[in-house]
Amino acid sequence: MSKTKLAVIFYSTYGTNHQMAEIAAEAARAAGAEVRLLRVTETAPQAVVDGQDAWKAQAEKTSDIPEVSHDDLLWADAYLFSAPTRYGSAPSQLRAFIDTLGGLWSQGKLANKAVSAMTSASTAHGGQEATILGLYTTFMHWGAVIVAPGYTDAEIFKTGNPYGYSHTQGAPFDESVRKVIGHQAARLVDMAGKIAG
């Protein structure tokens, strides 16, 4: 039996979602998946990025991580998206990439793929659930199979989010957080295997 192929796709301005994606990728590998860690192309003008030290540092830190392409989505059996909340929605950088996928979608090439999402915001009620649910609406249009974590692990009761892990900016990446992200990634790998089965 071949390994489940998982694309962990992230956009991260200051590093939170990059860290979440790294934790998820590690957990997915431990669950037996072949993983590609991929970043979404930055669409903000370089002058804007360079004007904020933390943003510029994060861009430099992740410059060696491949940018996600259509070929990656064709390759993968499953997708895990991680991106911050921007005014209750996914950031424009991720939406811009999604907007290029019409050709794949119209051919049914995104259908029947297992998919899940994670996000972050600066406050606990800063739009995390709206961001994840908005992404899930897009995935429903693809015909993808949404694999939310639900309350399928006791640790999730500590985060209070059955839709997908959401991180509040500045909170520590403690053992509980790692368990919740790891559980979501492992569940996605397991369900993708069953779908492909």
Side-chain angles (χ1 to χ4, degrees), residues 35-51:
V35 178
R36 288 185 185 176
L37 181 67
L38 304 157
R39 65 184 169 91
V40 172
T41 302
E42 181 58 76
T43 59
Q46 191 62 47
V48 173
V49 176
D50 290 346

Side-chain angles (χ1 to χ4, degrees), residues 51-155:
Q52 295 186 41
D53 291 342
W55 195 347
K56 182 180 178 183
Q58 177 61 23
E60 291 170 354
K61 181 178 181 179
T62 57
S63 62
D64 61 334
I65 297 174
E67 292 181 344
V68 64
S69 70
H70 290 194
D71 286 342
D72 294 310
L73 272 71
L74 292 171
W75 166 85
D77 302 309
Y79 315 127
L80 178 55
F81 286 87
S82 188
T85 292
R86 293 286 183 269
Y87 305 107
S89 185
S92 61
Q93 292 86 346
L94 178 54
R95 294 306 319 182
F97 174 70
I98 287 171
D99 285 347
T100 71
L101 300 175
L104 297 184
W105 164 79
S106 66
Q107 297 174 60
K109 305 237 177 191
L110 305 175
N112 304 322
K113 307 269 189 153
V115 64
S116 200
M118 306 184 295
T119 192
S120 66
S122 60
T123 61
H125 301 287
Q128 292 103 318
E129 290 179 6
T131 297
I132 292 173
L133 293 172
L135 286 170
Y136 287 171
T137 299
T138 296
F139 304 154
M140 284 187 269
H141 282 252
W142 294 354
V145 179
I146 296 167
V147 181
Y151 289 108
T152 56
D153 188 273
E155 290 292 326

